[in-house]
Amino acid sequence: MKVLVTGASRGIGRAIALAFGARGAGVALAVREPSGPAVLELLASIPGARAVPVDLSDSAQTQTLIERAREALGGLDVLVNCAGIVHYEALADLSPESLLQQLTANFVAPTFIARDAALHMQAHGGGAIVNVASTLGVRPAPLTAAYAASKAALISMTRSLALEFGAAGVRVNAVAPGIIDTDMIRAERPNTAGAAALSVEEQLAGLRKLHVLGRLGTAEEIAQSVLYLVDAQFVTGTVLIADGGLLL
Ligand SMILES: NC(=O)c1ccc[n+]([C@@H]2O[C@H](COP(=O)([O-])OP(=O)(O)OC[C@H]3O[C@@H](n4cnc5c(N)ncnc54)[C@H](OP(=O)(O)O)[C@@H]3O)[C@@H](O)[C@H]2O)c1
């Protein structure tokens, strides 16, 4: 199995790359800095893994990603669109630049990468695509309006791709994680109106309580969900909620 993972330098994408590597898959890591220490360490941990450089904010790089990954891997069976960004900000403070940055990284770039992968898979007997969305794409929360909209759009695009490429044996699904303990959730957030300032640890304690399971998820648990969606041969166009009961 030949697998491309975006956002593989750290967090959830890194765990997904390691999970496929543990299965003996050929893994290409789509990363901004292929010679950064974290990527070099990951390359050393996954036999035969390759790094393919990409900055999702640069459409020229995004447009050639699938072609470069196919060359690096000698084919492509699975794409996991995991890279993403969030800016914690009130809608009142949202700038056009911030909205466009989040839409580009979380929706526009993954859409064209998935489209190009689906076209390749269509011509080569099928494949599987998993987009990493978010529960915020299903139900919004304060300070993440642009991010939530970008993930809702990604979920809609997941379904459209599944519809248009299913007959060719290309399955397209999304996973919607709850709050996962990575760098992404440790960024400082502005206060909601009238609220006292919270430390990052206080924020995390509050976030844990939002989950029925009483804890945050781990990157490895989201990797399990991705592997399930790649394995489940009769599942397409679905959104797997992996949220420890957050939406409940
Ligand atoms: N953590 C959560 O609670 C949570 C919940 C729901 C969904 N998600 C989604 O899960 C995915 C992974 O999140 P995470 O928690 O692992 O976040 P993270 O630790 O902040 O990692 C983000 C990844 O995206 C990459 N990336 C960001 N902008 C990029 C760009 N312009 N070009 C190329 N790569 C870029 C980063 O690369 P660099 O190392 O180069 O910055 C990094 O590998 C995201 O799509 C996120 O929206 C996360």
Side-chain angles (χ1 to χ4, degrees):
M1 185 179 276
K2 293 163 181 170
V3 184
L4 173 66
V5 183
T6 74
S9 60
R10 56 199 167 97
I12 296 171
R14 178 178 184 278
I16 293 168
L18 284 167
F20 279 108
R23 285 185 157 198
V27 181
L29 315 171
V31 291
R32 270 196 280 218
E33 293 188 25
S35 50
V39 174
L40 292 179
E41 190 191 325
L42 190 56
L43 286 169
S45 313
I46 305 175
R50 308 284 177 83
V52 183
V54 72
D55 183 338
L56 298 185
S57 65
D58 180 340
S59 66
Q61 293 184 37
T62 301
Q63 280 167 24
T64 59
L65 177 63
I66 292 300
E67 189 185 333
R68 291 183 289 123
R70 281 198 289 117
E71 281 169 14
L73 289 167
L76 184 67
D77 306 306
V78 173
L79 163 70
V80 184
N81 262 322
C82 185
I85 55 170
V86 62
H87 298 165
Y88 297 106
E89 59 204 346
L91 199 42
D93 300 324
L94 179 65
S95 66
E97 293 76 18
S98 178
L99 176 61
L100 279 175
Q101 279 171 11
Q102 291 176 84
L103 283 175
T104 300
N106 299 342
F107 170 58
V108 179
T111 291
F112 286 112
I113 293 167
R115 191 273 312 268
D116 292 349
L119 285 168
H120 167 78
M121 292 169 185
Q122 179 178 46
H124 293 82
I129 297 171
V130 180
N131 294 320
V132 180
S134 168
T135 50
L136 290 171
V138 180
R139 183 193 295 169
L143 302 178
T144 46
Y147 177 82
S150 71
K151 294 295 190 178
L154 184 64
I155 287 171
S156 179
M157 183 55 67
T158 298
R159 295 183 174 126
S160 294
L161 281 163
L163 196 59
E164 294 203 18
F165 287 91
V170 181
R171 294 183 300 104
V172 190
N173 292 290
V175 58
I179 303 173
I180 310 304
D181 196 355
T182 67
D183 295 342
M184 181 172 271
I185 63 157
R186 289 170 185 280
E188 299 240 353
R189 294 158 208 234
N191 295 332
T192 42
L198 294 178
S199 68
V200 170
E201 274 315 313
E202 287 169 327
Q203 284 177 20
L204 293 179
L207 294 173
R208 281 184 199 105
K209 286 187 198 152
L210 296 174
H211 298 76
V212 170
L213 295 184
R215 65 173 177 86
L216 304 178
T218 66
E220 290 73 22
E221 287 168 334
I222 301 309
Q224 279 177 357
S225 299
V226 170
L227 290 184
Y228 167 76
L229 290 170
V230 168
D231 286 345
Q233 297 296 314
F234 203 50
V235 176
T236 196
T238 197
V239 182
L240 176 57
I241 307 289
D243 74 342
L246 174 67
L247 287 182
L248 190 63

